[in-house]
Amino acid sequence: MDCFSPVRIYIDGVYVTLDSIQLVGGDSIVFAFAGDGRTWRLEADQHPLHPGNSHPNATVEACGDTSNWTSGFVNVLPPDDADPVVDIYCGVVTGSYDPNDKTGYPTGVTTEHYIMPNQQLQYVIRFQNTGTDTAFTIIVRDTLDMNIDIFSVISGVASHSYNFQMYGPRVLEWTFYNILLPDSNHNEAESHGFVTFTVNQNNNLPNNTKIYNSADIYFDYNAPVITNQTVHTVNDMIQTILQVEPVNQNKFSDILVYPNPAKNELNIVTTTEMKNKEYQLCDIYGRKIFTGKLKKDITTLSVENMANGIYILQINGENKNTFKIIKN
């Protein structure tokens, strides 16, 4: 790694802090947290030129104090399956009180179901024959929201063989011919079915754009069963720090970095022994903003034209000294 990569830490779906890593080939790092039952998620970004779409992340839930665990947080953010040869599905076990339903993944952060702009959505539509006899033909119809890119739809896996078509004003239709789905009274386990598909948002939707979706399920000649309505809200601020650990400016006795947060200038004060040591200032994506060598007493960097956000300052001495810099 030429520079630092950001590591974002979420607890129960809330973005709480930012860390960073820089590893040599084959090396690894271990993050240790208290097993308090909450759902912890760590994300690390690939280099901008990485040949792929992966966004490495890991989630741990219900570790330790399970009385402090709330289910469902695993799916509020997307899994690492953006590459076309990778597909990850994490379903939540639910009761059968509403066997015909629809879920959009990721489910989104907070009760507003915030997702990032341009985030791909995966929908799962479940159905169950709760009638009194075998269902021979089942049709699932889904009319897409205007904020969805109709040309990006990819029909996915399903519980049974189907025919798929797109027609009319943004209508998707799956037809399960001769499905022979038994009713739940005679065979509960076999009375279930599902279908999935992925779709992209329209490019660069503005913040607070709502994306709604629901589906109609037809069992033979019966009136349609209408699923619940899913909702997602576009918000590019879900990767903005909500809680930042304060920077200890005196962590190293021979280096002082101020002001932090910085607005126009960032000063690096060092001892004589640190003169000519190399430094680099990177953004959270690992891109180098400034590089150079420290002066004898004070080195001043002009940050006035930099975008507001979090940056990583690394100073290469006997040990690598790292500072989180906030530009505001």
Side-chain angles (χ1 to χ4, degrees):
M1 299 173 67
D2 292 333
C3 199
F4 281 86
S5 175
V7 176
R8 291 178 294 275
I9 302 173
Y10 294 80
I11 303 177
D12 283 353
V14 177
Y15 187 11
V16 295
T17 192
L18 177 76
D19 210 323
S20 60
I21 56 172
Q22 185 180 33
L23 302 174
V24 299
D27 201 359
S28 62
I29 188 171
V30 175
F31 289 86
F33 302 100
D36 59 4
R38 295 183 295 176
T39 300
W40 294 73
R41 174 185 167 102
L42 275 71
E43 297 179 344
D45 289 338
Q46 297 278 19
H47 190 279
L49 299 180
H50 179 266
N53 302 316
S54 66
H55 299 282
N57 61 72
T59 302
V60 176
E61 67 171 352
C63 178
D65 183 8
T66 55
S67 65
N68 196 35
W69 170 58
T70 301
S71 64
F73 285 118
V74 170
N75 288 318
V76 300
L77 294 160
D80 185 16
D81 63 352
D83 283 320
V85 296
V86 178
D87 187 40
I88 299 173
Y89 172 69
C90 180
V92 177
V93 177
T94 59
S96 59
Y97 63 93
D98 186 10
N100 302 285
D101 63 12
K102 182 167 189 177
T103 307
Y105 297 96
T107 56
V109 176
T110 79
T111 56
E112 295 295 322
H113 303 285
Y114 289 126
I115 59 173
M116 291 289 289
N118 306 312
Q119 169 68 55
Q120 185 186 70
L121 291 168
Q122 180 182 55
Y123 288 102
V124 179
I125 304 170
R126 301 189 311 153
F127 53 87
Q128 183 184 20
N129 179 9
T130 58
T132 58
D133 199 357
T134 300
F136 292 88
T137 301
I138 295 177
I139 298 174
V140 177
R141 288 193 184 127
D142 189 315
T143 302
L144 291 183
D145 191 289
M146 293 299 295
N147 293 309
I148 289 296
D149 178 10
I150 186 68
F151 299 106
S152 67
V153 172
I154 299 177
S155 185
V157 298
S159 56
H160 302 77
S161 298
Y162 63 82
N163 289 355
F164 174 70
Q165 65 172 331
M166 300 168 54
Y167 66 92
R170 310 172 67 81
V171 177
L172 312 181
E173 182 177 275
W174 294 264
T175 303
F176 297 85
Y177 290 111
N178 201 34
I179 188 173
L180 301 179
L181 196 70
D183 65 88
S184 57
N185 296 307
H186 290 88
N187 191 336
E188 202 284 334
E190 297 296 327
S191 65
H192 299 267
F194 71 90
V195 67
T196 69
F197 69 97
T198 60
V199 65
N200 297 334
Q201 305 174 35
N202 291 336
N203 288 333
N204 303 318
L205 290 173
N207 281 350
N208 297 316
T209 299
K210 300 284 187 180
I211 300 174
Y212 297 100
N213 205 263
S214 61
D216 297 335
I217 305 170
Y218 296 81
F219 294 86
D220 291 324
Y221 300 104
N222 295 304
V225 176
I226 302 174
T227 70
N228 58 292
Q229 183 180 68
T230 66
V231 60
H232 292 89
T233 307
V234 176
N235 188 345
D236 63 5
M237 299 299 287
I238 64 174
Q239 289 187 357
T240 299
I241 284 292
L242 301 179
Q243 173 184 328
V244 180
E245 295 179 357
V247 177
N248 182 359
Q249 296 180 339
N250 297 312
K251 183 177 180 180
F252 306 103
S253 60
D254 52 356
I255 302 175
L256 177 64
V257 180
Y258 75 93
N260 194 6
K263 184 174 183 180
N264 298 315
E265 293 183 342
L266 182 69
N267 299 304
I268 309 171
V269 180
T270 62
T271 61
T272 303
E273 290 76 11
M274 296 297 292
K275 180 183 177 182
N276 292 325
K277 298 298 183 182
E278 294 183 348
Y279 69 84
Q280 57 186 11
L281 183 68
C282 302
D283 64 16
I284 62 172
Y285 300 104
R287 295 174 294 205
K288 296 179 181 179
I289 309 299
F290 292 115
T291 60
K293 293 185 177 181
L294 296 177
K295 299 179 181 179
K296 178 180 179 180
D297 296 316
I298 184 170
T299 303
T300 300
L301 306 180
S302 176
V303 299
E304 182 178 3
N305 295 324
M306 289 167 43
N308 292 346
I310 306 294
Y311 295 84
I312 306 298
L313 174 66
Q314 176 182 296
I315 300 174
N316 299 322
E318 182 177 350
N319 299 306
K320 289 185 177 180
N321 299 328
T322 304
F323 297 84
K324 298 175 190 175
I325 306 300
I326 302 174
K327 166 64 172 66
N328 64 10

